[in-house]
Amino acid sequence: DLAGIARFAGNNGLTSIIDNTFPTPVNFRPHEAGFDLVCHSATKALNGHSDIVAGVVTGSAELVEQARSCIKLYGGSLDPHAGYLLARGLKTLALRVRQQNANATATARFLEGHPQIAEVAYPGLESHPDHARAAELFDGFGSMLAFRPADGVEACERLFKRLELPYVAPSLGGVETLITRPATTSHVGMSPEARAAAGIRDDLVRLSLGIEAAEDLIADFDQALVTA
Ligand SMILES: *Cc1c(COP(=O)(O)O)cnc(C)c1O
């Protein structure tokens, strides 16, 4: 209940802050829901081309000035070329995110109907427990999905070797589709027990959809998901 959280903070003298990296402002605008500060990893979809490391914070001039003071003290500042790349990337943000929404929806549907896939998690699928909530909150369901092959970790590794379009790499939100196994990348620092409690099994695959043609992505998964 994001609007409820922002309202609670406002009524109790708290500053509400939300990380909007995954939805991007194309799919969700937290200030409209009442949040005071919104941060994004601009490394991801805002830049969109996987070639800078940057961040963004938006809000009232007064609050953003406080963040600016911290940045001055900590010393992290964007070099001009990275700033130029981010400004250029932003111009196509809406086009890229709409294509990513469409690619993720098409790929999720394809994977959900495939006999060698045990489970697909994407809020755009009617089968997702939070589908109705996501449809209410967001203008699009985003670029990220997760799935588990029916045949475990070995099937994951086989799939990664056979896929021709997705890069096996972390990060997300770029123009190219990226595929990883969180147990060995983003969540490798957690204990196996903590991962299990969070629903991150060893055979869970994370996919960040890029802007390729959906039919090319589906054809690639179709050829890569052959048995043995
Ligand atoms: C990647 C990421 C970050 C960290 O951003 P960097 O630009 O890599 O430092 C923060 N929040 C979310 C949700 C992210 O995906």
Side-chain angles (χ1 to χ4, degrees), residues 9 15 23 28 30 42 62-63 93 111 114 144 148 156 162 170 182 209:
T15 302
F28 185 58
E62 189 196 345
L63 287 175
L93 175 68
L111 292 173
H114 199 286
M144 305 301 295
R148 290 193 305 108
C156 299
R162 286 181 178 161
L209 276 300

Side-chain angles (χ1 to χ4, degrees), residues 13-84:
L14 302 167
T15 302
S16 50
I17 309 177
I18 189 168
D19 185 327
N20 197 44
T21 299
F22 271 51
T24 84
V26 178
N27 290 331
F28 185 58
R29 291 158 301 280
H31 288 304
E32 291 172 4
F35 278 85
D36 297 314
L37 284 172
V38 181
C39 53
H40 292 94
S41 166
T43 309
K44 317 288 172 56
L46 298 195
N47 174 56
H49 296 72
S50 312
D51 48 14
I52 65 167
V53 175
V56 170
V57 57
T58 63
S60 69
E62 189 196 345
L63 287 175
V64 170
E65 188 46 45
Q66 288 180 37
R68 191 192 294 277
S69 307
C70 281
I71 289 172
K72 277 185 201 151
L73 294 176
Y74 291 144
S77 90
L78 210 56
D79 71 85
H81 186 64
Y84 163 78

Side-chain angles (χ1 to χ4, degrees), residues 126-152:
E126 291 76 10
S127 60
H128 194 283
D130 296 322
H131 174 68
R133 187 84 189 105
E136 195 183 307
L137 275 176
F138 303 130
D139 294 334
F141 296 106
S143 62
M144 305 301 295
L145 66 86
F147 65 90
R148 290 193 305 108
D151 288 336

